[in-house]
Amino acid sequence: MRNLKLLKSLCSSELQGLGSPQCFSVRADTGSLLVASQYSITEYDPRTGQVVSEASLTADNFLPEDGSGAVVGLQDLAELESVCLATAGGDVVLFSLNTCQFECVGSVDSGLTSMSWSPDEELVTLTTGQETIIMMTKDFEPITEIRIHQDDFGEGKFITVGWGKKETQFHGSEGKQAAQRKIQVQPAAGWDDRRPRVTWRGDGQLFAVSAVCPQTGARKVRVWNREGILQATSEPVNGLEQALCWKPSGSLIASTQRHPNKHSVVFMEKNGLLHGDFTLPFSKDQAKVKELLWNSDSTVLAVWVEDMTAGEDGSFNTCIQLWTVGNYHWYLKQSLDFGRDPQKAPVCVCWDPEHPLKLHLVTRSWTSITYDWGWTTERSPGLDATDNASVAVIDGDKILVTTFRQCVVPPPMCSFELQLKSAVNQVTFLCQPQRTNELAAFTANGQISVYSQDSREPAEKTADEFRIVSRPLVLRKTFSVPALQDDPLALRQMLWLQDELFLGVSTGLLPTTSTLKMLHPAQNDSDALAVRSEIEVDGVVVSMVHCSQSGTVALQLEDGQIRKLLWDCPEQSVEDWCDSTGCKMNFPVPCVQMALCSISGEEYLLGLTDRSHLYAGETELASNVSSFAICNDFLLITTHSHTCRCLQLSTLSVKGLQAALASIGGQNDETLRRVERGSRIVTVVPQDTRVILQMPRGNLETVHHRALVLAQLRRWLDDLKFREAFECMRKLRINLNLIYDHSPKVFLENIETFITQLNSINHINLFLTELREEDTTSTMYPRPESTPVQLPPASGLKVDVVCDALRSAMESMDPNKFCLSILTAHVKKTVPELEVALQKVHELRENPPEAPGAVNAEEALKYLLFLVNVNDLYEHSLGTYDFDLVLMVAEKSQKDPKEYLPFLNMLKSLELNYQRYTIDRHLKRYRKALFHLSKCGEEHFPEALQLVKEQKLYSEALRLFTTNSAHYKALSCAYAEHLVEQQQVEQAGLLLWRCGESVGALQAFASSSSWRNAICVAQHIPLPPDQLALLARDLAEKLTEQRRYSEAALLLDQYAKDCEEAILALITGAVWEEALRLTYMHNRQDITETNLKPALLEAVNTQAAFLEAQLATFSRHRTRLAVVREQKQKARLDMLDEDGPDCPDAELYSEASSVMTGSKYSHSNSRISSRSSKNRRKAERKKLSLKEGSPMEDRALMCALGEIITTVDKMREEVHNLLKALVLFQFDKQAEKLQAAFEEALQTMETAVPEVWPEGLQQNQAPITGPNSTANTIMASFQQQQQRPAASQDAELPAPPKMRNGVKWKLTILK
């Protein structure tokens, strides 16, 4: 739905020569024009108006001096820096552009009628006066000479097997006679020059020749390959004319055909068969088509037309039409009418080989004109809901208008057509709020037609009873522009600024300047537009854009410079575009599309180049943009990676916009969505969610971009428009949780408004059923960064809060009307309140509501069965103990009455408590079952005890019986047995003791080594003294095995009365002071000499040996850790210095890599499953191996060193007690030696802590610096500090141990 817009035109009339131009070519490298006449060849630069070179063709007798000769072909050969031309006399001449010398490279006696070079300039074809084709190489070596007219069809001759013949096909209403009817072709028209036309396919593999057949006198098209072998001959086409041009993309050959009732451009395939056409806007004998010309990218077809009948002055009107195709429809986009002046009529026309939309022509008076065209989409610029999102498409003398707010009509259809009297060249919409649907059309006859909305009362339906969706615009006024009648295309880039104020651009006094013209109605003629003011611009203006909000008009010059037009002030002027700091802003390169927008409160001009670069002033935002549009506060772009982005401009800076467009986008990125390949934005409906995209073929697609949808929903929810938001979310499949999550507090405060606006039971139920606990504003639909976070209410879960609030509101408003929604609110809670819902259904059955339209019990139950599984509902109804309710649910289910009736009858026959026990047991509600069974009497206690044992309900059961009852004692004994099985023997003993089972309690305490409780129970029984002493010895033996020597000694001394064994136990446990106390208390000083002193000396030797071993191990691990760290550092430096800072494996080598440390161990343990804590610990132990070369040897060494330090540090109290005992018995030397050794060990370890655990090791490794570092290693280390997260480590670094330096263990009396 794009139009062709004239960006600039360059008209140069400085070139003058003898005769008239006959052939025309464009030099691709310099852009200069090569023009050949019957006298000379001239190279001319239209930009400077200078003749680069000129040479006479008559001086060397290539053409006769009387001007009767003709040039039939002209081609620029860039590789040879020459021009090849062919004359009608038969000469092929090379003209050197460097030396301006001619060289005749060949001559044909019969003369030449045309010359055509292949697109790759490797081959040239010449058609001779003898109706032959000569093919030569670029070095003019002949390849072949063939006759044009051949009887054979060619190598591509069709093969049929009978049923495919034309005679056997169906001919419709024409009947079978059509099979035998032969096509009668008429001879070529009288105005046909009867010269062969040659055209090449874009890849240079095939060329086609259109020539007049000698037998029929009609034209026929033949296709040859580059070897000169005939491929195909066209079918007989009556009225085929001389124009011929092969589409560069290679699919079709274009020509023209005159029908009895119309004039058409027809297309042929390479096999000669017709394939489509379109009708020219002329009557049968009104005009003749001189040439057809495809542009280089096959998007525009130029049709060069001349009237067949002369005017009153005997001259002919000439016109060039530009056609494009979309969705299989051909649109006439531009019509260049050159009038009847023969001097202004073009004699040579061609497209630029480098710039697809640049058209060159030369008139008979040697004036050269260059037109630069650009694609544009004419869309209404409104930003409010009154704008219909109109798009205007030019199609000859019609404007096809589609209003996308009302309907999406696929082209070539439209909402309505506007018929004008002449071909339309430009369309512009009014840039005024509330009136942006009005448009103005600038036509080829120099008039501006203004269309506005009909002010009459609109009809709702047509006469055919069709509803009117889009009302067409009506013609309000037609203005003539007298100053532009002679040359309508002199006005370009038209803008409609105000009601009757137009702005246009025309060529300035100099070719490098432009003139801005402000047009408004003339004072003496309101139907004519006069120039109110003119503003000269130093530069060629190629585009203009107007912002309806700010009123700014921005201009772009051909070199990308930006200017601002001050048009709404008394002194109109043009100034440089400056940013907020006063710096000038220009586009680095010219842009083909522009738009004004506000980014972070500052006005910017966005521009898109033909190379897909999007700029905001001088800043490049993206480099793969295929189209963009500004709507309200959003920038929408489509990219060549087939995505559509939508970004909110008010929340982003230019750098933020640049970063957002460069990002890939996350899973829930609302700004990004995929679109079909080649999609372009046509328009965006303002204050809506619709984006209209057009595919390459021309068909339309409407997408609701997630960013626009969410922005619109947030506005509606902020304005409490719940119904609009709900309808949009339901249609576009947006999670309904957003209604609450957007602003929980506002929703709960306006919940009655929500219910009133929805006013639909089904919609409320749908909302309730979609409720989830997740916050969609943090998962599915993240809030914009500038939006404040809405905190949900602190009380309760989200689903429960919403369900309760809605239920409460509906019950207060109309419980009968909202009955089903109330049931849904009960069922959808986190813990479904099915019993409450069933009870409400039961109440409806008991007391049917009398209100009209109220829901009865049957409907309510049926709805509940839709929400809840029928078996679950049946079970819950059974749990209410209401058999009427159970029967009501069972009847609605698919259950067989033979299944549930016997069971219900059996239940009804039972006693109430036992009945409820049976129901609860059936429903596996064992706690309730136990409660009801406890009320059933003595005879059911064994059953209760069995239930307690099966379901392990001991604690619940004990609460149901009195503490002094037999049932309580039986339950306690059963509980104790269960605790013994669970290895909780001491707790079992407590239960048995409190319920009076002292013997069992004594056994439990004795087996669990709870000696104090055991002694208490034994004395409570009471046990005889000998048995008590025996019990004490048994308990002391168990305590000794558990290394609880002090407690064992207490039992032996106080209850077994064996002081010697008690003292020996204390000596064994190194409890020196207590052993000494008992020795003197029982007057057993002999044990001091026999046992205590030898034990002290043995303890000294043991401790000294242990400390020595620990120190040796500590020193060995410490040395190895330094070696491992040095190896890793060296490996990392080598790797980084070799591959540089961008090495992808730099992170790997910063860790404990087995590759660089020469390890044969792999990281296979990193994938060990974490099924249990035991497995995890085992895996960690295997990872942290102390074997040399293991992957994490350094961390294993750190763990081992930490364990040694902790072990030695814990010895402080033990060494202190031993030193005091040694000093007491005058073992001073041994004490001094032990104290010195322990102090040395502590100092060594304390000194090593900073070395083993350097500062900052727990975070990330420090950047590598130092004399051994290079620039690469330092840069890479700094990058890794930013990139490597702490959680990426394979195992956590062990923390340094804390030493208890505050514990005093040394003796001052020792040196």
Side-chain angles (χ1 to χ4, degrees), residues 331-352:
Y331 298 86
L332 175 55
K333 292 298 182 183
Q334 289 290 339
S335 182
L336 311 181
D337 194 350
F338 294 91
R340 296 185 177 274
D341 186 352
Q343 296 303 313
K344 293 183 178 180
V347 291
C348 301
V349 181
C350 73
W351 288 100
D352 193 277

Side-chain angles (χ1 to χ4, degrees), residues 643-822:
T643 59
C644 179
R645 278 194 179 273
C646 181
L647 300 170
Q648 192 167 2
L649 296 174
S650 61
T651 62
L652 294 170
S653 62
V654 173
K655 289 192 175 295
L657 193 60
Q658 194 176 22
L661 291 174
S663 66
I664 301 175
Q667 181 179 3
N668 292 321
D669 186 4
E670 67 182 50
T671 67
L672 182 68
R673 67 161 289 155
R674 302 286 295 177
V675 292
E676 189 176 332
R677 180 185 295 270
S679 300
R680 292 177 181 269
I681 297 174
V682 175
T683 188
V684 185
V685 182
Q687 301 297 330
D688 203 283
T689 62
R690 285 171 288 172
V691 181
I692 313 300
L693 303 175
Q694 188 167 28
M695 306 304 112
R697 185 173 66 88
N699 55 310
L700 299 179
E701 280 191 6
T702 301
V703 299
H704 295 264
H705 201 289
R706 181 59 56 85
L708 294 177
V709 171
L710 293 177
Q712 184 67 43
L713 288 174
R714 291 175 183 126
R715 284 195 296 268
W716 277 332
L717 293 174
D718 289 338
D719 296 338
L720 302 182
K721 295 181 179 179
F722 294 111
R723 180 173 182 79
E724 290 84 349
F726 182 88
E727 292 291 347
C728 178
M729 296 169 78
R730 191 165 67 102
K731 183 172 71 171
L732 301 179
R733 303 176 65 86
I734 303 294
N735 195 304
L736 295 177
N737 284 268
L738 183 63
I739 295 176
Y740 172 82
D741 295 333
H742 174 70
S743 182
K745 182 180 179 182
V746 172
F747 177 81
L748 294 176
E749 291 174 352
N750 298 275
I751 203 159
E752 291 188 2
T753 306
F754 172 76
I755 297 170
T756 305
Q757 288 187 14
L758 260 60
N759 197 28
S760 169
I761 306 301
N762 291 334
H763 290 174
I764 296 173
N765 291 344
L766 180 61
F767 172 73
L768 286 168
T769 51
E770 277 207 24
L771 286 175
R772 299 290 182 273
E773 281 302 329
E774 70 170 314
D775 182 2
T776 54
T777 59
S778 59
T779 55
M780 299 174 68
Y781 316 118
R783 300 176 187 273
E785 295 181 0
S786 60
T787 306
V789 178
Q790 301 286 339
L791 297 176
S795 58
L797 298 171
K798 164 187 161 182
V799 175
D800 292 346
V801 169
V802 177
C803 286
D804 289 340
L806 277 172
R807 177 184 51 78
S808 176
M810 289 185 291
E811 286 177 346
S812 62
M813 293 171 67
D814 191 344
N816 293 327
K817 177 182 177 181
F818 298 110
C819 176
L820 298 183
S821 299
I822 292 170

